[in-house]
Amino acid sequence: MFKEFRKEIEWGGRPLVFETGKIARQADGAVMVTYGETKVLCTAVGQKKARTDIDFFPLTVNYQEKAFAAGKIPGGFFKREGRPSEKETLTSRLIDRPIRPLFAPGYKNETQVICTVLAHDLENDPDIVAMVGASAALTISGMPFMGPIGAARVGYIEGEYVLNPTTEELEDSVLDLAVAGTQAGVLMVESEAQELSEEIMLGAVAYGHKEFQTVIDAIIDLAEACANEPWDMAEPVAYLGDVEAKAAELAEEGLRAAYKIKDKQERVAAVNEAKDKVTEFYADAVEAGEVNKVVVAGVLKNLEKDIVRRDIIATQSRIDGRDTKTVRAIDAQVGLLPRAHGSALFTRGETQAMAVTTLGTGQDEQIIDALDKEYRENFMLHYNFPPYSVGEASFLKSPGRREIGHGKLAWRAIRPLMPSKEEFPYTVRVVSEVTESNGSSSMATVCGTSLSLMDSGVPLKRPVAGIAMGLIKEDDGFAVLSDILGDEDHLGDMDFKVAGTCEGITSLQMDIKITSITPEIMEIALDQAKGGRQFILDEMASAITSGREDVSNNAPKITAFQINKDKIREVIGTGGKVIRQITEETGAKIDIEDDGTIRVAAVDGESGQKAIDWIQGIVAEPEINKIYRGKVVKVMDFGAFVNYMGTKDGLVHISELKNERVAQVSDVLSEGDEVWAKLIGIDDRGKVKLSMRVVDQETGNDITEEVGEKRPRSEGEGDSDRPRKPRGPRKPRRD
């Protein structure tokens, strides 16, 4: 019934298996990939008819995790998978980036790649498995995919590179780097690092590229055995008439003049004006169907690209007049928003990010219900890109893949420098609002976030900065560009983002729009990025260089202390009654961990201290001869009960009220009175005896020596309270 094909190799100490022909046979390409006991089904489908109304490649990549893969039932009311998680969104982008440049030019067919995690062994992350599976599915599909690609994860543990480290091994690694590419070179890098040098990072990329060559060979072997017939590619739409020549005649001079304008808005207006001459010239022909408007747009894009790229190669001078290494002017400010816990405005040329930090408690931590485990995250970074940042008016949508990806890149860059939860017991959320954009708003977010965190009092180990590098590569040479503009990104061949401190790299992301780049280019890019990063750090230092000594007055003050784990139940109380009462009456927030760590947070210091004293009173053990400040909770004929510590009450007998005769307890005390009392004894049943008469009620000082052991006899103390003489033998009764 099935015509199955299988290819297995040993990779990173574990078997990697490609299987096809049994599942999803109606897809153009379908491959089940197994690594360890992690299984991902990867499918690729393309429409057979090309779209002629668009000037881009309509590729969609969807990575999805099924809860059953880890033996779990989804949470929530519906108990089924819903909107994509952050992990699914980021992995979809990770797969898309290296495969998109490898489709044949002119291929405009709707294409979809779906990677579904069917089993997760909780050791091998499915993302790399999905990447090589997508590559295999496309390679056997028959679509014009100029692959295959390979991919690998690289760790760095105790000075050694590790191929595809397990989840447990990654905890000991100072590097988490994903790399993908072809036999010829690298196409994509995504990483998080603990301030590693450029040499170590470059070595990791080279190591990963070398190690995934066996995967590429395995995919080729599989394709040779079972690949579909290559699709017949439709002939590219011919440039009718003299479109190219006419476009150059009408627009070239205007475009060259436009790209000498340094201001972005003025340049965009001039570029559009030059293009409009061509579109207006062909308007009637387009309307009559004689010329395809996509052809006209394509010709103009190529003309524009050729002008910008060749001028940079020839002159080493860029659109805004800079040379290839110069970073645009920078302005850094902190303390921008008076009510925020921390804020910063970072401006680099025409790119600007406003980063705002909010400090919260453990109750504000984000709960991540991942496929492999559930955990809490106490550092969040959210990136927003409103349309006004590029001078556009459009529908304001919820964060998409781009926003999530850029926010995660900045988060990876900052996280290695964040203090531990023990050092700084706050939940930290940073929101980056991109208010202007002309080149690398994600790196502006890194810089703004670093400044904002320090402004809020977060003790960052060192400031962090980021820079975006670009590449223009032609047959007659190349130029690596520092701090690229939006046009240089759009018309260039590489987007290479590097973030880090003065000590080393914390995050590196690279996307290549051509088939590959050489190690030489990567080395030059990293070296230029290092100089640019240091320049930016120096400029940021004019605003702030380290975290403020204390958090903002608007932020909660958190005090952490330890109690005996056996006392946790007493602090919480039955059904949470005690802790609820403490929070309601003091206004403080209280977090209790299983190890007995308690964190009390309150904006008002007095409220926080009141909650701390209350809790410490609950867990504290009574001490003989210690004086306590307490409140009378009940008055009886024989004495008064005083709440002297937490929820603990003790009895002040009528004879211990004063150093004089007391007729009635109510003559001295009423419920609600605050008094000083000394703990003078605890009986066998744990009942506590308190004394007020030996304490100065004004000062709380012990006056035992002044009163001595002598005490007055109070009302109610009868003969039964006196020591009785022993009675002699009783005489026998007479009947």
Side-chain angles (χ1 to χ4, degrees), residues 44-267:
V45 175
Q47 296 294 331
K48 299 304 183 287
K49 187 175 180 181
R51 290 184 59 178
T52 59
D53 60 332
I54 57 175
D55 61 353
F56 62 91
F57 172 35
L59 170 67
T60 304
V61 177
N62 296 102
Y63 166 89
Q64 53 185 1
E65 296 179 335
K66 299 299 182 181
F68 60 71
K72 298 172 65 175
I73 295 176
F77 181 79
F78 294 104
K79 297 297 178 186
R80 68 175 299 164
E81 291 81 3
R83 60 179 294 181
S85 66
E86 184 181 86
K87 163 75 172 177
E88 290 171 311
T89 298
L90 294 170
T91 305
S92 296
R93 282 171 53 87
L94 203 66
I95 299 167
D96 184 299
R97 285 156 48 195
I99 65 175
R100 184 176 289 273
L102 295 180
F103 284 86
Y107 178 67
K108 297 293 188 291
N109 301 46
E110 289 275 3
T111 303
Q112 184 178 39
V113 174
I114 300 177
C115 301
T116 307
V117 181
L118 301 179
H120 190 352
D121 61 10
L122 310 184
E123 287 187 358
N124 299 289
D125 196 316
D127 56 0
I128 297 297
V129 183
M131 291 177 74
V132 298
S135 170
L138 286 167
T139 302
I140 69 171
S141 68
M143 285 185 271
F145 175 66
M146 305 297 108
I149 66 162
R153 171 168 276 107
V154 180
Y156 193 66
I157 304 173
E158 296 181 355
E160 298 288 338
Y161 294 119
V162 179
L163 176 64
N164 296 331
T166 63
T167 304
E168 186 177 346
E169 287 174 330
L170 269 179
E171 295 177 1
D172 299 322
S173 177
V174 293
L175 173 67
D176 181 1
L177 181 142
V179 56
T182 62
Q183 289 177 327
V186 174
L187 285 167
M188 187 279 301
V189 176
E190 184 83 49
S191 67
E192 179 182 339
Q194 300 283 344
E195 297 183 283
L196 298 181
S197 69
E198 282 72 13
E199 291 76 18
I200 292 175
M201 296 298 289
L202 191 59
V205 174
Y207 175 81
H209 181 254
K210 176 185 174 183
E211 293 296 329
F212 65 57
Q213 295 305 313
T214 56
V215 177
I216 293 177
D217 292 339
I219 294 173
I220 292 173
D221 289 345
L222 182 71
E224 288 176 346
C226 63
N228 295 329
E229 288 298 317
W231 290 15
D232 292 328
M233 281 286 291
E235 288 295 323
V237 178
Y239 292 149
L240 303 180
D242 58 350
V243 176
E244 286 183 296
K246 197 64 181 177
E249 177 188 332
L250 295 172
E252 183 172 356
E253 184 178 346
L255 287 173
R256 288 191 181 279
Y259 276 107
K260 287 181 169 54
I261 299 173
K262 296 182 180 181
D263 181 78
K264 178 187 175 183
Q265 296 300 326
E266 292 181 22
R267 183 171 63 250

Side-chain angles (χ1 to χ4, degrees), residues 264 350-352 383 385 389-390 402 434-441:
K264 178 187 175 183
E350 295 170 303
T351 297
Q352 186 180 77
Y383 165 103
F385 192 88
S389 65
V390 287
R402 181 180 180 276
V434 177
T435 49
E436 295 179 25
S437 181
N438 183 14
S440 193
S441 55

Side-chain angles (χ1 to χ4, degrees), residues 416-465:
L417 282 305
M418 289 291 288
S420 67
K421 194 173 180 180
E422 290 68 33
E423 294 172 308
F424 193 71
Y426 287 86
T427 296
V428 181
R429 181 189 184 228
V430 180
V431 176
S432 174
E433 295 287 335
V434 177
T435 49
E436 295 179 25
S437 181
N438 183 14
S440 193
S441 55
S442 63
M443 294 297 95
T445 291
V446 171
C447 301
T449 297
S450 177
L451 293 167
S452 178
L453 288 170
M454 291 188 288
D455 183 52
S456 70
V458 175
L460 275 187
K461 296 174 185 176
R462 274 170 292 279
V464 189

